[in-house]
Amino acid sequence: MSPLLLLLLVAACDRQPQLRPLAADAVILAFGDSLTHGNGATEEQSYPAVLQRLLGRRVINAGVPGEISAEGLRRLPRVLEETQPQLIILIHGGNDFLRRLDRERTRQNLQAMIDLCRQAGSDVVLVGVPQPGLFLSPPAFYEELAETNRLPYLEETLSDILADRDLKSDTIHPNAAGYRKLAAALAELIRDTTD
């Protein structure tokens, strides 16, 4: 194999998975728990509201504070049917970690959510949710889910926000500035993967 062909193959493997370009009337569904709902800020300061302004597309905030992934999985089919989104931003699992629920079950629930989104014809962006601990970082299964399902993945942004006292409203939620940073990172990822 020629060195040029090998280089091209490596570059192709390193690229983020691509999303379909967002239609002018595209609906984006922000699905998750209190991090999506926007606890710690006003409704207009939540990341879905900021993202809507950044992208110029309708972003529906489907965040339910306190929800565990099993409850999210049960709720998702109805929300998909009602909203029919082109793109879903999935931020879930944090309450599972706080309640020390089985990690493998959380991974399975997230995979089932991804499957439901794909069956509905929606693209998915996955956001890694940090687990509590000395070093805030998402469990490895988020990256595995992103790789296995070929999803654009925002890995460290939430961890970085929650590690910065100036970007938090409490120990587990961003403040308005933190949500702005999350929305900006998501907007950049979405633009980079829909070119």
Side-chain angles (χ1 to χ4, degrees):
M1 185 179 293
S2 75
L4 178 59
L5 184 57
L6 187 59
L7 187 62
L8 289 173
L9 282 171
V10 170
C13 291
D14 285 345
R15 284 183 63 211
Q16 277 272 19
Q18 296 297 291
L19 301 168
R20 292 171 291 160
L22 288 171
D25 62 349
V27 171
I28 299 171
L29 177 65
F31 191 82
D33 51 31
S34 58
L35 294 171
T36 298
H37 183 264
N39 286 33
T42 68
E43 185 178 335
E44 284 304 304
Q45 295 168 333
S46 69
Y47 98 75
V50 177
L51 186 63
Q52 178 168 284
R53 294 191 292 274
L54 291 173
L55 293 179
R57 300 294 192 283
R58 182 173 176 219
V59 180
I60 296 172
N61 186 332
V64 174
E67 183 176 73
I68 60 171
S69 63
E71 294 164 343
L73 178 57
R74 284 193 293 274
R75 180 171 63 97
L76 182 57
R78 177 182 49 79
V79 177
L80 289 171
E81 187 176 341
E82 290 172 356
T83 60
Q84 300 187 2
Q86 178 182 332
L87 175 64
I88 295 158
I89 299 166
L90 182 58
I91 304 180
H92 225 303
N95 290 309
D96 295 44
F97 306 148
L98 291 172
R99 297 183 193 184
R100 293 183 167 81
L101 301 179
D102 181 68
R103 297 291 167 92
E104 177 56 22
R105 176 61 62 192
T106 303
R107 188 199 66 75
Q108 291 171 3
N109 290 338
L110 290 171
Q111 179 63 64
M113 289 184 210
I114 293 164
D115 293 342
L116 285 170
C117 295
R118 289 260 173 89
Q119 289 162 16
S122 304
D123 289 334
V124 181
V125 169
L126 183 64
V127 178
V129 179
Q131 55 195 339
L134 185 58
F135 302 105
L136 285 173
S137 63
F141 68 70
Y142 281 96
E143 185 174 6
E144 292 161 9
L145 286 169
E147 288 178 1
T148 302
N149 294 281
R150 299 288 299 148
L151 304 179
Y153 177 48
L154 196 65
E155 183 174 11
E156 294 298 334
T157 302
L158 257 179
S159 300
D160 292 345
I161 290 167
L162 294 176
D164 185 338
R165 196 173 303 157
D166 293 336
L167 298 176
K168 294 195 299 187
S169 63
D170 59 33
T171 56
I172 58 172
H173 298 108
N175 58 21
Y179 286 122
R180 275 197 310 274
K181 183 172 180 175
L182 177 58
L186 282 165
E188 182 179 0
L189 178 64
I190 290 166
R191 290 187 186 115
D192 287 350
T193 55
T194 52
D195 287 343

